[in-house]
Amino acid sequence: MKERYPTLSQPATLLGLFILLLAGFMTILDLFIVNVAIPSIQGDLGASFSQIAFIVAGYELGFGVLLITGGRLGDRFGRRRLFIVGMFGFTITSALCGLAINPDMLIIARVLQGLTAAMMQPQIYSSIRVNFSGRERGIAFSLLGMVLGLAAIAGQVLGGFIVEADFGGLGWRMIFLINIPIGIFSILMARFIPESHAPERPLLDWGGVVIVSLGLILFLVPLIESQNHGWTIWSFLSLAAAAWILFGFWRHQERRRLAKRQPLVDTMLLRQSRFAMGGSLVLLIYSTSSVFFLCYALLVQTGLGLSPLSAGILFVPCSIGFTAASIAAPRLVERFGTMTIFWGAVFYTFSFAVLIWQVWTAGGDLVTVHLVTALVFVGIGQGLVMTPLLNLVLGFVEESKAGMASGIISTLQQVGAAVGLAAVSIFFGSVVADADGGNSGLYASAFVNAMFYNLIASLVSAILLWKMAKERVEGS
């Protein structure tokens, strides 16, 4: 019989869950922590603006491309085993990032770091999915959602602190080197994570791996590059090629399913309306998160002249709101069901409306401390939506497909982040393209433009959640 966690009250169970949550925190933290260190990296390594963009995007690109494959590898070879392999690789590549002597080395190390994170991240989702049940699964996923959201927020605060503290004269390098002791600890403690496999131990569809990886690369690169070079004919050709290749991937998976050969992605899973709708929600919510964090950093640091640490401290109220809402979310969902997440999305939409109104009316005369209330609202909205969303979506799939579903959802998180970067380019970057830092009025206008994207995306999310909640009530 497959090993399971007994109860959350047992120390070994809590320690295993803690290691999974710690790993999830690390992988998401490294998506955001590098943003505040960009000026220091550029000055130290003499990186061009294009190289800086690839340092930021390289991790995301590697992360997004291999997530589905990582989930399937865990299904076949064991989720704890792949977790350890991924954590080992993540620790080594973090060291390579911290020891980089030129921009090209750092770009390559960041891509490799993203690839190893993609081996590890799906095992976190699927291990929770198959080793917990009922109320405890909901609590565990709520904790995971809270930790992932806090990691994004901590990237702003912790990154600014580390860069300015300049530990051992290492400066920005410490944002990567700090992963080494945490990685070693996680590998040693991974024995408390129960091993699990998919019941059928499927063969991996390597042809599907190549096709979907190429399609995702052609899709993500123009979205990320649009922030630097705008939308060129090559951007549209790349997106068109991505659409054609991903359609070919769908056909390839469908043929394998009909031939009763294990596909990389079960097309029947994607045909489930609730899972498809849940995946759309994940993409939308994580795109708004990407837009908000990056535009906030650009507004208060480049536009208003705050230091990285000051910008991080100003962001603390947002983290407080997020933490409080995340703690309350599981009990609210248990009592009121999916409607809790719907009202969370409504409040999330309202928070962006408040933020837009506040920055719009103040313009270039914006006083940063006046953002505190709106930042608290944004944090509360994210906590009420992001924290229980993972449990909701992955709860739609059966245990045997947990690894596959986890890889899909994790990939959609990264695709959402890439869509957010494209939105930043269109709504924020186009306004300040020729502006110098310190033009607070122009940066305020750009911020308002970008938040209109978040307003619409969060409103669409609320509509989808209302529909999902209605269907669950009618189906019960």
Side-chain angles (χ1 to χ4, degrees):
M1 181 177 293
K2 178 166 65 66
E3 182 182 2
R4 287 185 176 275
Y5 283 115
T7 65
L8 276 173
S9 61
Q10 297 188 3
T13 301
L14 290 173
L15 185 54
L17 180 59
F18 172 77
I19 297 303
L20 292 172
L21 297 179
L22 179 63
F25 182 88
M26 289 171 63
T27 58
I28 299 302
L29 179 73
D30 274 52
L31 277 171
F32 294 94
I33 197 171
V34 72
N35 290 329
V36 295
I38 285 301
S40 298
I41 294 173
Q42 191 170 21
D44 188 27
L45 299 183
S48 67
F49 186 80
S50 177
Q51 288 172 320
I52 286 297
F54 272 107
I55 290 169
V56 175
Y59 180 85
E60 188 172 288
L61 185 60
F63 202 180
V65 162
L66 205 59
L67 277 167
I68 294 177
T69 306
R72 298 300 278 157
L73 287 171
D75 286 347
R76 174 165 176 75
F77 297 108
R79 290 157 185 144
R80 179 175 63 187
R81 182 177 299 170
L82 261 293
F83 174 88
I84 293 172
V85 171
M87 179 61 79
F88 178 78
F90 187 82
T91 304
I92 295 298
T93 53
S94 294
L96 292 176
C97 289
L99 298 174
I101 59 176
N102 57 56
D104 291 336
M105 180 178 174
L106 183 54
I107 291 169
I108 294 171
R110 283 284 284 175
V111 173
L112 293 174
Q113 189 188 33
L115 291 172
T116 57
M119 301 294 289
M120 175 172 55
Q121 184 80 348
Q123 319 316 326
I124 299 168
Y125 290 86
S126 52
S127 292
I128 292 175
R129 173 66 179 81
V130 303
N131 291 305
F132 291 89
S133 61
R135 184 172 181 268
E136 291 189 346
R137 180 188 294 163
I139 294 173
F141 269 121
S142 294
L143 288 171
L144 178 61
M146 180 176 70
V147 165
L148 298 185
L150 281 175
I153 292 170
Q156 316 293 318
V157 183
L158 185 60
F161 171 74
I162 290 175
V163 172
E164 291 201 15
D166 193 22
F167 294 105
L170 293 171
W172 61 268
R173 297 179 186 275
M174 276 301 297
I175 68 173
F176 300 114
L177 297 178
I178 196 174
N179 291 338
I180 297 175
I182 299 174
I184 293 172
F185 172 77
S186 298
I187 292 170
L188 294 175
M189 294 294 104
R191 65 181 184 274
F192 292 101
I193 303 170
E195 182 62 285
S196 61
H197 306 77
E200 298 179 7
R201 304 280 188 93
L203 294 173
L204 190 63
D205 173 18
W206 288 108
V209 170
V210 173
I211 297 170
V212 74
S213 297
L214 179 60
L216 287 173
I217 288 172
L218 291 174
F219 177 73
L220 292 174
V221 166
L223 292 181
I224 295 170
E225 275 291 279
S226 67
Q227 191 176 0
N228 302 321
H229 305 301
W231 290 95
T232 66
I233 184 63
W234 296 110
S235 301
F236 292 106
L237 288 175
S238 180
L239 291 176
W244 180 73
I245 291 173
L246 291 174
F247 177 73
F249 172 73
W250 174 278
R251 295 287 300 274
H252 174 72
Q253 298 301 287
E254 185 70 0
R255 285 193 297 269
R256 287 184 66 91
R257 184 184 68 82
L258 294 174
K260 300 188 182 305
R261 301 169 62 196
Q262 277 286 346
L264 187 65
V265 174
D266 189 343
T267 54
M268 295 302 293
L269 180 63
L270 298 179
R271 286 192 176 103
Q272 294 180 16
S273 60
R274 291 191 302 173
F275 184 78
M277 193 181 300
S280 300
L281 279 167
V282 170
L283 189 150
L284 283 170
I285 292 299
Y286 278 82
S287 73
T288 64
S289 177
S290 175
V291 170
F292 173 66
F293 290 133
L294 181 55
C295 291
Y296 166 83
L298 291 171
L299 172 66
V300 300
Q301 292 187 53
T302 308
L304 302 177
L306 267 65
S307 69
L309 181 58
S310 298
I313 293 173
L314 179 64
F315 208 77
V316 169
C318 185
S319 63
I320 293 174
F322 181 88
T323 303
S326 297
I327 293 172
R331 294 180 180 178
L332 292 173
V333 171
E334 186 177 356
R335 182 172 180 181
F336 301 108
T338 309
M339 288 302 296
T340 299
I341 314 178
F342 161 71
W343 286 112
V346 171
F347 189 85
Y348 193 42
T349 306
F350 169 74
S351 71
F352 288 123
V354 172
L355 202 57
I356 288 170
W357 174 80
Q358 191 168 25
V359 178
W360 193 359
T361 54
D365 298 323
L366 178 68
V367 179
T368 54
V369 294
H370 293 170
L371 292 173
V372 168
T373 300
L375 291 175
V376 171
F377 286 173
V378 171
I380 291 173
Q382 286 188 337
L384 290 175
V385 177
M386 295 176 70
T387 301
L389 185 59
L390 299 176
N391 184 46
L392 175 70
V393 178
L394 291 176
F396 295 145
V397 303
E398 57 192 72
E399 183 176 306
S400 62
K401 298 178 180 177
M404 180 189 300
S406 299
I408 293 171
I409 293 303
S410 298
T411 299
L412 287 172
Q413 288 177 323
Q414 303 315 310
V415 172
V419 170
L421 285 175
V424 171
S425 175
I426 296 169
F427 298 107
F428 193 105
S430 59
V431 176
V432 299
D434 299 320
D436 296 324
N439 192 330
S440 56
L442 200 57
Y443 273 80
S445 298
F447 183 82
V448 168
N449 281 359
M451 289 308 102
F452 269 114
Y453 167 84
N454 278 15
L455 184 72
I456 295 170
S458 57
L459 180 60
V460 172
S461 298
I463 294 171
L464 291 176
L465 281 162
W466 177 81
K467 183 179 179 181
M468 189 179 294
K470 186 178 178 181
E471 288 179 354
R472 298 196 80 177
V473 170
E474 291 176 351
S476 60

